[in-house]
Every structure is written in structure tokens, then in C-alpha cells.
């Protein structure tokens, strides 16, 4: 399929959300393709996932750069040279500054394992368990310079069950992450969702947008 939206995926770890995107992009009817995967950690397993899928994998160790600005310039150069139109953070453990975001205005996505704005930052699942919430989940949002503070596009909810530990809750949330992220990428790639004036806009209108993002099994 020609004319597909080119994605750049930034990773730091195992890359299970990268795999979900790679699997989605392998479908002939999916409107996007992963053009390059970039990791700031040379040992990240996500790099192996990219290579197995035949996708360019690049290591940019942030510690090898003299400043955050230099690191982000190298990131931008790598993504631009690959023709990237949308940037997807998939377990990328670095905050991105305004200079980087300015090169991809309104076109940087992140997925976070909580129902934002609750529990931003690290160990969101542990935070949820410590606070005793009954519902957890994941959020896909546009990225701004803050930590998990950008405009929310879509969320998926999972129950917190009696006896859950961090591993069990993480696994339950991950299943929804792997469903939700490709769905949002499809919506932004086709223009069905966009960022306008700091607000998330759905081309089909709010009602249809809510319907398309509803969890499987939820009542209509």
C-alpha cells in the first residue's frame, strides 16, 4: 500500500507496544508504516523487534551527547532523514523539549499505563495499587513538554482485581495498550483525530469519535 503515513517510534526498553504497532503496520489495509525505530539504550530488546520486522533500528545514547539539545537535534535529524511524519513514544524514558516538539507540531504521541491525569511518571501501576483505586488503564495522548500532561486522545479502562500485584495489573493494562495504540495511530494517520488549538478534535464529531474508541464489550 503506497502513500502510508511514516512513523518514527522512540523506545528505551522491551518494546511490546512497538511490536503492537509493527504487527498493525504489517496489515495491508493499515494506513501507516514504521519507517525507523530509535532507542536511547543500546541493549533495548525493542531494537531486535525492529530488525526482525525489517525496520531500520538506530541507537542514539543520550549520555553520549553534551547536552539535551544536542541529543534532540540528533533525534530530529534521524527522524527527518527517514521521512517520519508522526512520532510515537513507546516506553521512551526521556522527556522531549520544545525544540524537538516544534519539529513535529501536534504529531507526537505517547502511551501511558494509567488513566491520566492520575498517576503520571514512573511506576504508574504501582501508584494505582498503593492508592487503592478500583479502575486502572492506559491513555494515549499528544505529547507536550510536561510529564504525561498533553491532551488526551483515548483511554481504555481495566478493573483492579482483589489480590492484584504490580505484575498482574501491568499485564492486564498492556493488553489494552496493545489494542489502543494502533487504533489511535490509525485515526491520526487518516486525519480522523487531530490536535487543534491545544484540543483534540475528531473529524467525525464527538459522538462518532467516542463510539470508535469505546472498549470492546462496552454497551452502546
Amino acid at each position: 500500500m503506497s502513500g502510508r503515513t511514516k512513523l518514527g517510534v522512540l523506545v528505551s526498553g522491551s518494546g511490546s507496544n512497538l511490536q503492537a504497532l509493527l504487527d498493525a503496520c504489517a496489515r495491508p489495509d493499515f494506513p501507516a508504516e514504521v519507517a525507523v525505530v530509535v532507542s536511547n539504550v543500546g541493549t533495548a530488546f525493542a531494537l531486535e523487534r525492529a530488525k526482525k520486522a525489517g525496520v531500520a533500528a538506530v541507537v542514539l545514547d543520550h549520555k553520549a551527547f553534551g547536552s539535551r539539545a544536542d541529543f534532540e537535534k540528533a533525534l530530529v535529524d534521524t527522524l527527518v532523514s527517514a521521512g517520519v511524519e508522526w512520532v510515537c513514544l513507546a516506553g521512551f524514558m526521556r522527556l522531549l523539549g520544545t525544540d524537538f516538539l516544534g519539529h513535529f507540531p501536534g504529531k507526537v504521541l505517547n502511551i501511558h499505563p494509567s488513566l491520566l491525569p492520575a498517576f503520571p511518571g514512573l511506576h504508574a501501576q504501582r501508584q494505582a495499587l498503593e492508592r487503592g483505586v478500583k479502575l486502572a488503564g492506559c491513555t494515549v495522548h499528544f505529547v507536550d513538554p510536561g510529564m504525561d500532561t498533553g491532551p488526551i486522545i483515548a483511554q481504555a479502562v481495566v478493573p483492579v482485581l482483589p489480590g492484584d500485584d504490580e505484575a498482574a495489573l501491568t499485564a492486564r493494562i498492556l493488553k489494552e495498550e496493545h489494542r489502543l495504540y494502533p487504533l489511535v495511530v490509525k485515526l491520526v494517520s487518516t486525519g480522523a483525530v487531530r490536535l487543534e488549538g491545544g484540543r483534540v478534535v475528531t473529524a467525525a464529531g464527538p459522538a462518532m469519535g467516542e463510539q470508535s474508541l469505546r472498549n470492546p464489550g462496552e454497551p452502546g
Side-chain angles (χ1 to χ4, degrees):
M1 179 178 174
S2 61
R4 298 202 294 176
T5 298
K6 291 186 180 297
L7 310 175
V9 185
L10 306 187
V11 297
S12 297
S14 69
S16 70
N17 272 302
L18 165 65
Q19 189 65 57
L21 293 175
L22 290 170
D23 291 346
C25 292
R27 299 198 300 267
D29 61 340
F30 197 75
E33 61 182 325
V34 179
V36 65
V37 173
V38 186
S39 178
N40 66 315
V41 179
T43 56
F45 184 67
L47 295 166
E48 300 305 316
R49 296 181 188 270
K51 292 170 185 173
K52 185 175 180 181
V55 173
V58 177
V59 176
L60 292 176
D61 184 348
H62 61 278
K63 296 190 293 291
F65 293 86
S67 68
R68 173 167 140 173
D70 290 341
F71 170 64
E72 292 193 356
K73 182 181 185 304
L75 267 182
V76 169
D77 290 346
T78 300
L79 295 168
V80 169
S81 67
V84 166
E85 299 162 84
W86 281 84
V87 180
C88 299
L89 311 189
F92 185 64
M93 307 306 284
R94 306 290 299 173
L95 286 177
L96 295 169
T98 53
D99 286 347
F100 178 92
L101 296 173
H103 282 87
F104 301 95
K107 292 197 170 184
V108 184
L109 305 175
N110 183 46
I111 189 158
H112 182 74
S114 80
L115 297 175
L116 292 173
F119 314 127
L122 296 174
H123 309 302
Q125 305 92 327
R126 186 185 309 168
Q127 294 181 61
L129 289 170
E130 288 173 349
R131 294 297 295 273
V133 299
K134 306 309 178 192
L135 296 173
C138 56
T139 303
V140 181
H141 63 95
F142 286 106
V143 175
D144 65 12
M147 181 178 288
D148 304 320
T149 54
I152 290 169
I153 303 170
Q155 296 181 306
V157 178
V158 302
V160 180
L161 302 179
D164 265 351
D165 59 13
E166 190 174 353
L169 182 57
T170 296
R172 194 176 307 116
I173 293 172
L174 266 177
K175 286 184 66 175
E176 289 302 306
E177 291 182 44
H178 297 162
R179 178 190 69 83
L180 194 65
Y181 212 179
L183 171 59
V184 171
V185 167
K186 179 179 182 179
L187 292 173
V188 300
S189 296
T190 57
V193 169
R194 66 186 186 278
L195 186 63
E196 195 172 280
R199 295 175 62 87
V200 176
V201 177
T202 57
M208 185 170 270
E210 290 167 9
Q211 177 73 26
S212 67
L213 297 175
R214 189 170 282 137
N215 289 343
E218 273 193 37

